[in-house]
Amino acid sequence: MDRPLLISTIMDFAADYHGEREIVSRTVEGPIHRYTYRDARDRAKKLANALLRLGVREGDRIGTLAWNTCRHFEAYYGISGIGAICHTINPRLFSEQISYIANHAEDSYLFLDLTFVELVEGLADSLSSVKAYVVLTDETHMPDTSLPNAMCYETLVGAESAGYEWPELDEWTASSLCYTSGTTGNPKGVLYTHRSTVLHTMMVCMSDTLGLRSVDVVMPVVPMFHANAWGLVYGAPAAGSKLVLPGRQLDGESVYELMESEKVTFTAGVPTVWLALAQYLRGSKSTLTTLERLVSGGSAMPRALTQEYEEDHNTRVIHAWGMTEMSPIGTTGNFKPGMTELPAEQRYDIQAKQGRGIFGVEMKIVDDDGNELPRDGEAFGDLMVRGGTVCDGYYKGEGGESFIDGWFKTGDVATLDPDGFMQIVDRSKDVIKSGGEWISSIDLENIAVGHPEVVEACVIAVPHPKWDERPLLLIVKAKGSGLDRNAMVEYLSDKVAKWWLPDDVVFVPELPHTATGKLLKSQLREDYRDHALPTIDAAE
Ligand code: ADP
């Protein structure tokens, strides 16, 4: 039958078939809030009525600056459900980028958590399209704010009835919008449709992708403003999983406490979060007692961290890769037959790869002339993707150079192996080009963080008169560690080829990150462009 793939059907499915399953949120106000999928549907419908009363129509953009909580969840469904576009904005961006994004998208309303009232008050003058601000709280917590036309979410929703029939939209109707953080240039918008979102939801739920089930308790630590929380806020209701939304407290202790109290079985987030959690667990001598699977993506998951979760907590680490442009999941690293029985070291080698291709995403690697390279695990080239969940252009037609002959050029350089696993060698702009050969910054970082006294490592290219570029290793070391340059080089020397060894090691108190938790290498390259490598004199 010709039935459209609509986001509202996900909410209806959850409410009709898993109506008593809970959504638990750590609210921005503090207390834990719990209700069911049935309650969530009623509230999303009330919000739909409220939006229509405010004059919101199909295609209008509604911005959100919000953490993972039930109110944001309702906004996802209420906004898209009426045919409007839920535009999630990353609050960790610079404020100029936030106003650029909201203006570029021409958001007509902005929903915001209490946490961001002050930030938005400072920006309001520059937000030219926003008619009113909806603060995601109740009357008791409603702040005294200078925001023009500020409204209280609970008052808005409370005035409406849950009587509403989701419209039968065309499945190609735009449903949501998310900008990539744009470490260079302006952020670019990725517009999703109901169709791409429902397809992605089905792909995510497949056993070998994320394998969500009704018996699972799913906690997206990855924010809902970061590529739809990797599809989990659609996947969990489509599977009937209990959903645990951690709010704004993403430190190790808070995440751990919620995981244990709600018996979380499945979680997903960036390596920085898993590093913080591991540090907390070590320090407090705690173990994860219910967590079965931990998905890590967004940047490379250090092998040593995978090993720690597997061995100390009996938690399976699933490395995943994706992009905002891909809805976002592209690969996940579930094992194939025989792999679970391999010796631990070999398993960690597999888990260090970014995962294998999933149904619905086509991948290939190509050389500079666009010729496809072999899938032998050795050859590396530009990773290209296509599929029903991959965008075919940026919002308002920007960044066209990434779309070539029906494929999207990811900007990642990768290998594909005969088992279908993809491994990122580097982001094409981060790879170190030394004497015509390439050095992978990711590989070096991964090995460096294997040192017990290294908390975080970053490798960048520094200009070199003879070799063009050479690697510089920046390290944040553990408190009280006496680690020095020579000891670090010594540690690396039997683990990488000699010409890969960094020309210098610099110890820094902290490293800068992007709004999505990646190392901000563009800034570091700028900061260290004149760094005097000890090897330069020798070359001249
Ligand atoms: P943004 O660019 O806005 O930070 P994205 O999440 O879309 O947000 O970033 C996608 C990029 O992140 C990928 O192209 C890749 O370079 C990197 N990335 C994602 N997952 C991984 C991973 N598991 N390992 C290494 N890099 C990753």
Side-chain angles (χ1 to χ4, degrees):
M1 292 177 193
D2 185 11
R3 297 286 300 151
L5 302 174
L6 298 178
I7 289 173
S8 55
T9 64
I10 299 175
M11 181 58 103
D12 278 343
F13 173 80
D16 291 340
Y17 293 85
H18 304 277
E20 294 303 310
R21 202 70 171 131
E22 277 184 318
I23 301 176
V24 180
S25 312
R26 194 193 287 281
T27 60
V28 173
E29 294 86 353
I32 298 291
H33 171 276
R34 42 182 86 235
Y35 69 176
T36 65
Y37 279 121
R38 198 169 293 133
D39 300 328
R41 174 172 62 182
D42 281 352
R43 302 244 316 165
K45 288 191 166 188
K46 287 181 180 190
L47 174 60
N49 279 326
L51 291 168
L52 291 169
R53 195 181 301 281
L54 289 172
V56 175
R57 294 292 171 262
E58 197 174 315
D60 288 353
R61 276 78 61 209
I62 312 286
T64 67
L65 270 168
W67 301 107
N68 294 9
T69 70
C70 54
R71 291 190 184 117
H72 202 186
F73 182 79
E74 294 159 11
Y76 257 57
Y77 286 88
I79 296 169
S80 305
I82 65 166
I85 299 171
C86 178
H87 171 207
T88 52
I89 306 177
N90 187 337
R92 294 181 183 138
L93 292 168
F94 295 120
S95 46
E96 305 79 58
Q97 286 177 313
I98 294 177
S99 40
Y100 170 85
I101 289 176
N103 286 332
H104 189 264
E106 299 171 77
D107 290 332
S108 56
Y109 289 86
L110 190 60
F111 283 42
L112 65 154
D113 268 334
L114 282 171
T115 335
F116 308 119
V117 170
E118 215 181 299
L119 169 81
V120 180
E121 281 174 345
L123 293 178
D125 281 347
S126 69
L127 302 178
S128 49
S129 54
V130 178
K131 294 185 214 158
Y133 296 84
V134 179
V135 184
L136 294 163
T137 193
D138 54 23
E139 284 293 344
T140 324
H141 296 90
M142 189 65 188
D144 188 14
T145 169
S146 65
L147 285 174
N149 302 325
M151 291 183 241
C152 167
Y153 179 82
E154 287 301 328
T155 313
L156 190 71
V157 166
E160 301 293 337
S161 103
Y164 179 71
E165 288 290 323
W166 303 117
E168 236 178 67
L169 305 164
D170 182 319
E171 66 183 20
W172 289 96
T173 307
S175 59
S176 39
L177 178 63
C178 181
Y179 282 68
T180 64
S181 48
T183 38
T184 53
N186 279 326
K188 293 190 284 291
V190 177
L191 190 63
Y192 308 100
T193 61
H194 282 261
R195 181 178 194 272
S196 68
T197 305
V198 173
L199 288 175
H200 187 260
T201 305
M202 293 186 196
M203 285 155 59
V204 158
C205 287
M206 286 174 71
S207 319
D208 263 2
T209 309
L210 299 181
L212 304 182
R213 304 160 303 175
S214 63
V215 291
D216 275 319
V217 181
V218 173
M219 175 155 129
V221 176
V222 48
M224 289 166 75
F225 53 74
H226 186 187
N228 309 310
W230 301 349
L232 292 174
V233 285
Y234 300 115
S241 316
K242 172 173 159 181
L243 192 57
V244 180
L245 302 171
R248 69 187 162 96
Q249 282 160 258
L250 304 178
D251 59 286
E253 182 173 4
S254 307
V255 167
Y256 175 68
E257 193 213 56
L258 202 55
M259 278 182 173
E260 288 297 308
S261 61
E262 296 303 325
K263 299 188 168 43
V264 170
T265 60
F266 179 101
T267 188
V270 295
T272 328
V273 170
W274 305 136
L275 188 66
L277 177 62
Q279 279 170 339
Y280 171 76
L281 295 171
R282 249 178 271 144
S284 62
K285 300 200 174 7
S286 319
T287 46
L288 295 163
T289 61
T290 62
L291 189 68
E292 295 165 14
R293 287 167 294 155
L294 177 156
V295 173
S296 183
S299 50
M301 178 68 168
R303 183 191 165 102
L305 201 52
T306 297
Q307 183 171 357
E308 184 169 345
Y309 278 103
E310 295 262 341
E311 293 178 9
D312 297 353
H313 304 283
N314 199 21
T315 295
R316 167 75 358 116
V317 174
I318 303 165
H319 203 167
W321 164 87
M323 302 180 74
T324 304
E325 291 86 338
M326 300 175 70
S327 299
I329 305 265
T331 58
T332 50
N334 286 292
F335 290 134
K336 288 178 102 172
M339 289 180 173
T340 13
E341 294 81 43
L342 289 171
E345 289 306 313
Q346 287 180 39
R347 272 195 282 114
Y348 298 139
D349 284 344
I350 296 172
Q351 282 165 292
K353 298 194 170 194
Q354 271 67 20
R356 67 195 154 82
I358 59 172
F359 174 70
V361 177
E362 293 169 67
M363 296 193 289
K364 65 175 180 180
I365 46 172
V366 299
D367 65 17
D368 287 346
D369 300 321
N371 303 310
E372 188 166 351
L373 295 165
R375 295 165 187 254
D376 58 7
E378 300 287 332
F380 54 82
D382 282 316
L383 180 63
M384 315 285 289
V385 294
R386 67 179 178 193
T389 54
V390 182
C391 70
D392 63 359
Y394 290 106
Y395 192 50
K396 298 187 176 171
E398 288 173 21
E401 65 281 1
S402 301
F403 302 91
I404 304 162
D405 296 335
W407 291 80
F408 170 65
K409 186 175 174 182
T410 61
D412 289 321
V413 175
T415 61
L416 290 171
D417 74 15
D419 282 315
F421 281 78
M422 184 273 284
Q423 182 156 29
I424 294 193
V425 174
D426 223 328
R427 193 85 191 136
S428 56
K429 55 185 187 298
D430 295 338
V431 77
I432 296 132
K433 299 182 181 95
S434 171
E437 299 287 341
W438 286 14
I439 298 173
S440 160
S441 64
I442 294 188
D443 273 3
L444 278 177
E445 287 158 9
N446 243 324
I447 297 168
V449 289
H451 191 291
E453 290 168 38
V454 172
V455 175
E456 202 176 11
C458 176
V459 173
I460 53 165
V462 173
H464 190 282
K466 180 167 180 200
W467 301 111
D468 220 7
E469 292 178 350
R470 289 295 300 159
L472 170 68
L473 172 60
L474 304 166
I475 283 189
V476 180
K477 56 185 173 184
K479 263 203 202 94
S481 154
L483 189 64
D484 63 11
R485 177 183 184 281
N486 291 346
M488 196 61 221
V489 174
E490 174 71 26
Y491 174 80
L492 297 171
S493 59
D494 60 349
K495 298 177 183 70
V496 297
K498 196 155 177 289
W499 62 278
W500 273 46
L501 286 174
D503 285 28
D504 203 3
V505 182
V506 175
F507 294 90
V508 291
E510 58 181 4
L511 287 163
H513 291 92
T514 69
T516 48
K518 298 182 218 306
L519 287 164
L520 191 49
K521 294 192 180 178
S522 52
Q523 185 192 318
L524 290 167
R525 276 195 292 267
E526 218 27 65
D527 294 351
Y528 286 90
R529 82 170 7 263
D530 298 322
H531 181 77
L533 292 176
T535 51
I536 289 184
D537 284 348
E540 279 165 351

